Amino acid sequence: MRKIWIVALSVFAILGCAERTAGLNVDGQSQRVIFNDTVLGGKLDIEQIDTDEVNGHARGIVTLASQSTGNQNIQYRFYWYDDKGLDVNTKPGPWRQIIVRGYETISISEVSVNPNATQFRVQIRQAD
């Protein structure tokens, strides 16, 4: 019985140290949204996903609409890919934090530093 408790506590300790994953994944090319967090997915609606060009670099734009009365502290990070779907950033950018007010509609965007980037994916998660 004691061994079972030790194993169970070890598993919970490992899970507690695991890195948080994104609540939502938005794919700019396929216009797909993947909900990994149903609570966040119920509070935020992805209204529009666009890619345009700024000085020869791709710019990804995602419009979010709050479906909740309260403020939501979220973090997001963009990932960039070329025409073949290969990652063009050697290191992911930092998580950026933003507050989405109740029933507010906002846009998050980023311009790729690599001119070969044509596609993007953005991860969105609840901030601590």
Side-chain angles (χ1 to χ4, degrees), residues 44 64-68 71 98-106:
L44 280 181
L64 308 170
S66 172
Q67 304 300 309
S68 170
N71 294 342
I98 192 167
I99 298 173
V100 184
R101 309 273 179 220
Y103 295 112
E104 177 181 45
T105 299
I106 63 164

Side-chain angles (χ1 to χ4, degrees), residues 58-72:
R59 176 180 176 219
I61 307 163
V62 177
T63 303
L64 308 170
S66 172
Q67 304 300 309
S68 170
T69 58
N71 294 342
Q72 298 174 64

Side-chain angles (χ1 to χ4, degrees), residues 40-102:
L40 181 60
K43 293 180 179 180
L44 280 181
D45 189 27
I46 308 299
E47 288 198 341
Q48 192 170 356
I49 305 166
D50 286 320
T51 305
D52 64 3
E53 189 176 316
V54 176
N55 297 326
H57 294 258
R59 176 180 176 219
I61 307 163
V62 177
T63 303
L64 308 170
S66 172
Q67 304 300 309
S68 170
T69 58
N71 294 342
Q72 298 174 64
N73 295 318
I74 61 168
Q75 294 176 326
Y76 65 94
R77 178 166 50 189
F78 280 79
Y79 297 85
W80 291 96
Y81 306 93
D82 65 11
D83 285 335
K84 296 177 184 174
L86 300 174
D87 191 359
V88 295
N89 291 348
T90 57
K91 181 179 169 188
W95 285 97
R96 293 187 173 93
Q97 190 159 331
I98 192 167
I99 298 173
V100 184
R101 309 273 179 220

